[in-house]
Amino acid sequence: MSEGIVALIRQGAPTPCAGRFVLEAEAWQAMIAGLSAADLPLLGLWSDGVQVHALFHHDPMPLVASVVVSSGGYPALSPVRVGARAPERIIHDLWGIPAIRGRCDPWLDQGRWPVASPLAAHPAPTPGLPEGREFIDDAAVRQAGGTVLGYGPAEGNFRAPFHLRLGLPGARIEAVQPCMGYAHRGVAARLRGLAPQQAARLVARIDAPATVAHQLAFARALHNATGTVMPAQDVAAGVMLGAMERIATHLDVLAQASAIVGDGRSATLAASMLEQMRQICRNICGRRLLFDVIPPAAAFLMNVDGTQLATLAAQHALLHRLFWRPRGLAAQARGKGVLSATMAARLGIMGCNARAAQKGQGDVTDRLEARLGEIGASLSLLAAPPESAVMEVEGGGGEGLGWAEGPAGPVWHWLRLEAGHVAAWWCGEPSLAQVQALPAILSGAAYEDVDLIVVSLGLSATGADL
Amino acid sequence: MAQLHMFWPDGTALPRLEALDIFHIESGGCTGCALELASLSRALLAGNHPIRFVPTPRQAGMLLLTGSLTVGMAPVVELAWQAMPGPRVLAVVGDCAVDGGLFGGNYAVLGGVGVRARSNVSLPGCPPAPDEILAALVRWQAAEGKR
Ligand code: SF4
């Protein structure tokens, strides 16, 4: 069935971006009708003001279906792909373009932006709401009755701000309403008109724990747009720096999760390994956090000291033992915050959280175990770097799509260049799908476990809000 | 002189620290500064140092902001400040918080608290390292002590 949809999309008008086709309105409708029975995960949905683009996962190459926005908007994908709900609301927030038969209530704009549709050609000034947007409890919260508790946006922790409104009729959470936008910095508006080098600096600062993935995905999109191959040396640097980032971010998650459940030994060990990793980053790149490392400097030499790697490998083995010891982190997190493989597939969640769901039941323990496993694999990769070849380009007509595997899942960048500058840009990030999965993941959880569950997902509001 | 064991072998020499409870808010950056604060917080905790990061503004003496202050976070920051007891001080850490940095003012961002309010500690950097953040806090404590 999905092959039929793929063929339908490919019958659209080809574009300068490899794998992107513009569909007539009727074909878009036919695609929506066919999607309900097709296995074609939606990875992202965005607009450039003229068209709306839907990114689908398809081997060996991703597919983008586009449709021209009419005066009434565009037919919604959310009736057949739940993961489209948030992006449809975001498109409405940013461009004022409604999804026909989709929801148009705000996702990012909590009533405090001074303009409506800030990315549109002529954004209209709005007086804003002095008190911000009021929470309107949906049916689930109303039915839950009982207590309503909040989580975020300021918990005194070190993560990006977002808010959850949680309905607890008893001891367990029954209703979850995420409220986003606190971390929205208007990155798409900032990137417009920038030269690629300036844009890359900003892209590196979308989300610090996944900065290498963002830099790499953006660089790949740029190479595809300009039709220039990515040199083998840059490809190799990307692989190694990506491994370093994965180790550091996974260790940060494990240190946080251990601290939350009161496992001091694991927390100290993971934090100590993290600091060693940051030191290695500083030795190699001149900075503890891996900003502005792609494209690598001409003199860049990727060489991790063997003794340091051996120490980390031994500590990793110990961390693994501590994780599985009786009453250790694994035992304490078992059964909490389940993200099932079915839910992951429905929302287009990929990466380590999806792999954890496929391997086990998809609870916090499975996710942390997946991260532990990836730390080991990444350490091995650093010890024996693979051969790298140049990245061949696809397209080259001024528009490109690129992706990279980040610590919490794949990161996508799409861009269009005009006169050598960024004219339009989009970024797809795993956190937006995670936020949409939170009502299912947190349902039945105790309030005390919300922090642990959120940490185990690697959820980043800066990535989701942009 | 006390040593701050920053988890790496050499540690950092420290003067005597005064007790200080800090409430941190990430107000809209990339969380790079917050990651470095997390490193500092873990090191301070591991060494039983009297500077602590606390989970509520109601017991904090210092509000420490990272990020460029989005319009959504401005009222949250204001509420946290109002909830703090007694004499309280403001610290802005990182380019974003000092003057907006790469995330200057636009429809969604006010562009850093540092340019809007008088701060007691102001530390640029993108991001400043944990030992630089600690040094700034120590410098401020020393200057306060001389008053
Ligand atoms: S100052 Fe730099 S590191 Fe800190 S939050 Fe802003 S962009 Fe991130």
Side-chain angles (χ1 to χ4, degrees):
Chain A
M1 186 64 199
S2 42
E3 285 316 305
I5 302 293
V6 169
L8 176 77
I9 294 172
R10 290 214 172 112
Q11 279 164 16
T15 67
C17 178
R20 184 168 84 80
F21 301 88
V22 183
L23 275 57
E24 296 292 336
E26 300 74 38
W28 180 269
Q29 291 279 19
M31 177 188 81
I32 293 173
L35 275 173
S36 51
D39 175 26
L40 204 60
L42 179 76
L43 299 179
L45 185 75
W46 73 100
S47 178
D48 55 15
V50 178
Q51 297 176 347
V52 165
H53 317 284
L55 169 66
F56 295 100
H57 176 70
H58 180 65
D59 277 335
M61 213 177 116
L63 264 187
V64 182
S66 306
V67 68
V68 174
V69 176
S70 70
S71 55
Y74 63 100
L77 280 179
S78 49
V80 291
R81 287 290 179 275
V82 280
R85 283 185 191 160
E88 283 171 2
R89 290 165 68 181
I90 291 174
I91 290 171
H92 189 254
D93 277 341
L94 295 176
W95 295 96
I97 299 171
I100 301 160
R101 288 191 297 124
R103 277 172 63 176
C104 290
D105 48 331
W107 177 269
L108 291 174
D109 180 8
Q110 298 165 29
R112 295 188 191 276
W113 293 357
V115 291
S117 322
L119 292 188
H122 304 289
T126 62
L129 306 167
E131 299 303 322
R133 186 158 64 89
E134 206 178 306
F135 281 107
I136 299 169
D137 287 333
D138 60 17
V141 175
R142 282 200 302 273
Q143 276 159 23
T147 315
V148 169
L149 291 180
Y151 173 86
E155 296 279 334
N157 58 30
F158 302 102
R159 298 191 292 277
F162 69 105
H163 178 75
L164 295 176
R165 189 169 164 89
L166 305 164
L168 292 90
R172 303 273 155 188
I173 295 167
E174 270 198 14
V176 180
Q177 204 182 336
C179 178
M180 304 300 290
Y182 294 99
H184 178 71
R185 292 149 290 162
V187 179
R190 291 175 192 278
L191 282 175
R192 279 205 295 215
L194 291 188
Q197 292 81 358
Q198 296 170 298
R201 265 179 69 73
L202 210 54
V203 161
R205 286 158 183 82
I206 286 176
D207 181 33
T211 173
V212 174
H214 280 283
Q215 292 173 61
L216 207 50
F218 180 79
R220 286 175 177 159
L222 190 60
H223 277 286
N224 284 334
T226 52
T228 49
V229 294
M230 187 188 263
Q233 173 202 342
D234 292 18
V235 174
V239 171
M240 302 300 274
L241 292 163
M244 287 162 66
E245 167 164 285
R246 202 165 304 121
I247 296 169
T249 300
H250 287 347
L251 283 170
D252 187 37
V253 166
L254 285 159
Q256 288 187 61
S258 306
I260 290 169
V261 303
D263 183 347
R265 270 183 81 192
S266 288
T268 307
L269 179 58
S272 158
M273 292 171 69
L274 171 60
E275 287 307 324
Q276 291 169 56
M277 208 54 229
R278 298 245 194 267
Q279 200 64 24
I280 290 173
C281 293
R282 174 133 81 181
N283 293 343
I284 292 176
C285 306
R287 50 197 325 158
R288 287 164 50 86
L289 304 185
L290 295 169
F291 296 139
D292 311 325
V293 291
I294 291 178
F300 179 79
L301 194 63
M302 184 76 219
N303 192 6
V304 188
D305 180 70
T307 326
Q308 285 173 318
L309 275 181
T311 310
L312 278 170
Q315 289 174 321
H316 174 252
L318 175 59
L319 193 62
H320 200 271
R321 281 202 296 282
L322 289 176
F323 182 72
W324 287 111
R325 75 188 191 280
R327 290 188 297 284
L329 181 52
Q332 293 202 57
R334 187 48 95 199
K336 292 177 178 172
V338 173
L339 168 66
S340 67
T342 322
M343 174 58 71
R346 277 186 74 202
L347 282 162
I349 292 177
M350 306 183 80
C352 81
N353 290 327
R355 287 192 286 275
Q358 282 151 10
K359 239 181 111 189
Q361 56 170 309
D363 60 9
V364 172
T365 302
D366 291 331
R367 287 196 287 276
L368 296 179
E369 187 197 6
R371 286 176 188 268
L372 259 174
E374 290 190 4
I375 292 171
S378 299
L379 284 171
S380 306
L381 195 142
L382 289 182
E387 286 284 315
S388 289
V390 295
M391 185 197 97
E392 299 297 343
V393 293
E394 296 150 350
E399 193 184 308
L401 182 67
W403 77 280
E405 178 78 21
V411 168
W412 294 86
H413 281 251
W414 169 88
L415 60 89
R416 184 182 294 140
L417 297 172
E418 276 170 23
H421 289 68
V422 178
W425 170 87
W426 167 79
C427 166
E429 226 268 351
S431 294
L432 189 59
Q434 290 177 20
V435 173
Q436 296 186 84
L438 276 180
I441 298 173
L442 290 174
S443 170
Y447 180 76
E448 297 69 46
D449 290 333
V450 172
D451 218 24
L452 176 66
I453 295 168
V454 167
V455 163
S456 74
L457 288 164
L459 195 157
S460 157
T462 47
D465 283 357
L466 296 172
Chain B
M1 199 175 261
Q3 283 279 116
L4 180 69
H5 175 53
M6 278 282 196
F7 296 117
W8 56 82
D10 334 344
T12 304
L14 276 186
R16 211 170 73 79
L17 300 175
E18 299 294 329
L20 176 65
D21 283 355
I22 305 173
F23 184 68
H24 163 248
I25 298 182
E26 162 61 49
S27 71
C30 76
T31 68
C33 290
L35 285 179
E36 294 298 53
L37 276 177
S39 282
L40 174 61
S41 166
R42 286 170 182 145
L44 290 168
L45 207 61
N48 276 324
H49 294 284
I51 297 183
R52 306 183 303 172
F53 286 84
V54 294
T56 162
R58 296 186 190 283
Q59 68 182 91
M62 173 182 276
L63 179 64
L64 192 158
L65 296 178
T66 57
S68 55
L69 193 66
T70 61
V71 291
M73 283 307 286
V76 179
V77 168
E78 177 67 30
L79 279 177
W81 180 254
Q82 300 298 348
M84 289 168 67
R88 56 208 160 172
V89 295
L90 178 68
V92 288
V93 168
D95 289 350
C96 280
V98 170
D99 62 5
L102 279 179
F103 296 108
N106 72 355
Y107 70 91
V109 164
L110 295 171
V113 153
V115 288
R116 297 177 169 260
R118 207 178 54 81
S119 56
N120 306 74
V121 178
S122 176
L123 180 65
C126 186
D131 48 351
E132 292 167 350
I133 303 172
L134 182 64
L137 294 176
V138 169
R139 268 198 311 275
W140 169 74
Q141 284 197 331
E144 283 293 292
K146 284 196 193 120
R147 282 202 191 157

